[in-house]
Amino acid sequence: MNAVPDHPELDRLSADVAGLLGRVGLDPSGGRPVRRDRIDVRFAAMAARHPGRVAVRDGQGQATYLELEWLADEIARRLSGRAGPGSAVAVRARRSCLTAGAVVGVLRAGAAVLPLEPGHSAGLQEFLMRDAGVWVVVSDCGLLGGEIPVVKTGRFVIAVRPPLAVRREVAPGTAFMALPAGGDPGRALAVRPLPHADVLAWVDGCVPMLGAGLDDVWTWFHSLSLDLGMREMWGPLLSGGRAVVVDGDTACDARAFARLLARQEVTVVAQLPSALARLGAAARGTVLPALRHVLLSDEPVDKAVPAAWRSAGIAPHAMTWDVSGSPKVL
């Protein structure tokens, strides 16, 4: 998908959507406190304000806010009567420019999202789905045994699984069923409910602090199964910026990642401290003048790592932050 240039018809559509949001008690301008306690609600407001802007770009194409909004609406409509409040839906998706649309669609249906990586073993996926009480799957990369396709929406298939002996009731306000932080995901004891409020609190804390907005380009580097992956996706998409998908091969090659940062003129990047150390070593001699912020999270920060990063001169204008708890400059 490609970005849509400014057109009068998009302006009219944006005005129509903004009017609709206003009628149901939402404020797409963000100028007054209203019902902004859900990720899907905030995304709808952002899509109404910036329909033709590129929201996500991957190695094969890109999607605008409006295109993701259309996909989300279609998936939510197809899930009606199959999943909703109190349930979780598995999203088994490649990292692509359309993944966010599928996630928003599940949230808009009222369900929580269990993100599954295609690289996870079938056994681990089955375990996680049983633990989360999942019986509906949205997938763009195939189905597991026993999953029955019922409808197709673009590249995504919605499938149902065999009925569970014990149904799990998901708490109201849950956005994601996340893997436990740290450790080996293959040894996860249980998925952990992550509320909309937790994700939005991180966005509301970090975005103003960074001064992030429409001109910022963030990387989506980590799995959506992990807290850091969820946060780095919604940072750009709920502030009008653009997310750049980092595919698995590039994520495993620090030199290739450094080249992507330069090519895409990335301004905000989130990394584990250990990954930043590898990136700093691989990127010596590279200059990333566009990079404004480096966000470190989910591991203890050895002060030598950001010090070495700064002394290498790779990103001369970038500030380094520890955002594991209350954000602080390093």
Side-chain angles (χ1 to χ4, degrees):
M1 292 185 176
N2 297 310
V4 181
D6 289 336
H7 287 300
E9 59 268 27
L10 273 184
D11 293 336
R12 289 195 298 271
L13 179 58
S14 180
D16 289 344
V17 174
L20 173 62
L21 293 174
R23 287 195 296 276
V24 298
L26 307 179
D27 179 12
S29 72
R32 58 187 170 87
V34 287
R35 284 176 46 205
R36 299 177 62 79
D37 58 344
R38 292 181 58 87
I39 293 166
D40 50 304
V41 168
R42 292 218 195 169
F43 183 82
M46 197 57 62
R49 293 173 64 191
H50 306 292
R53 290 185 64 87
V54 174
V56 187
R57 178 173 290 159
D58 63 23
Q60 284 70 52
Q62 58 193 29
T64 66
Y65 279 88
L66 181 60
E67 289 169 328
L68 292 180
E69 177 68 7
W70 282 339
L71 174 61
D73 265 352
E74 180 65 12
I75 287 178
R77 187 175 68 84
R78 298 290 192 174
L79 287 173
S80 178
R82 297 186 173 98
S87 66
V89 171
V91 176
R92 182 188 301 124
R94 302 180 182 92
R95 296 188 202 183
S96 80
C97 62
L98 297 178
T99 304
V103 171
V104 172
V106 173
L107 296 177
R108 186 161 298 164
V113 174
L114 172 67
L116 297 176
E117 287 280 344
H120 287 163
S121 69
L124 176 58
Q125 292 190 49
E126 291 283 359
F127 170 80
L128 295 173
M129 286 189 286
R130 286 196 303 271
D131 189 53
V134 164
W135 70 283
V136 179
V137 179
V138 177
S139 176
D140 71 351
C141 50
L143 301 176
L144 301 184
E147 295 176 352
I148 303 170
V150 292
V151 68
K152 193 171 188 294
T153 300
R155 69 173 67 172
F156 291 94
V157 172
I158 296 175
V160 296
R161 293 169 44 77
L164 299 169
V166 178
R167 295 289 296 275
R168 174 172 179 170
E169 187 74 14
V170 178
T174 300
F176 297 99
M177 307 297 287
L179 297 183
D184 178 2
R187 298 179 182 176
L189 296 178
V191 293
R192 176 173 53 86
L194 185 71
H196 286 264
D198 282 17
V199 177
L200 296 177
W202 187 89
V203 172
D204 291 342
C206 277
V207 166
M209 176 189 71
L210 303 177
L214 304 183
D215 296 328
D216 280 294
V217 180
W218 303 52
T219 50
W220 172 26
F221 184 97
H222 299 88
S223 169
L224 279 180
S225 300
L226 305 174
D227 288 3
L228 187 52
M230 297 172 196
R231 294 195 296 264
E232 66 181 339
M233 168 178 276
W234 301 114
L237 295 185
L238 299 184
S239 62
R242 183 169 76 244
V244 172
V245 179
V246 182
D247 63 76
D249 291 340
T250 302
C252 294
D253 183 338
R255 290 184 185 277
F257 184 43
R259 291 193 294 271
L260 180 143
L261 295 176
R263 185 171 63 252
Q264 296 290 343
E265 298 184 320
V266 169
T267 62
V268 183
V269 63
Q271 290 281 275
L272 301 176
S274 56
L276 182 68
R278 292 191 293 272
L279 177 62
R284 284 192 175 274
T286 300
V287 179
L288 304 173
L291 190 59
R292 301 196 306 120
H293 298 289
V294 177
L295 312 181
L296 301 180
S297 183
D298 289 19
E299 286 180 353
V301 179
D302 181 343
K303 292 184 178 179
V305 171
W309 170 262
R310 287 192 296 269
S311 66
I314 296 166
H317 308 301
M319 298 180 67
T320 307
W321 302 80
D322 182 352
V323 295
S324 293
S326 298
K328 58 185 178 182
V329 178
L330 296 173

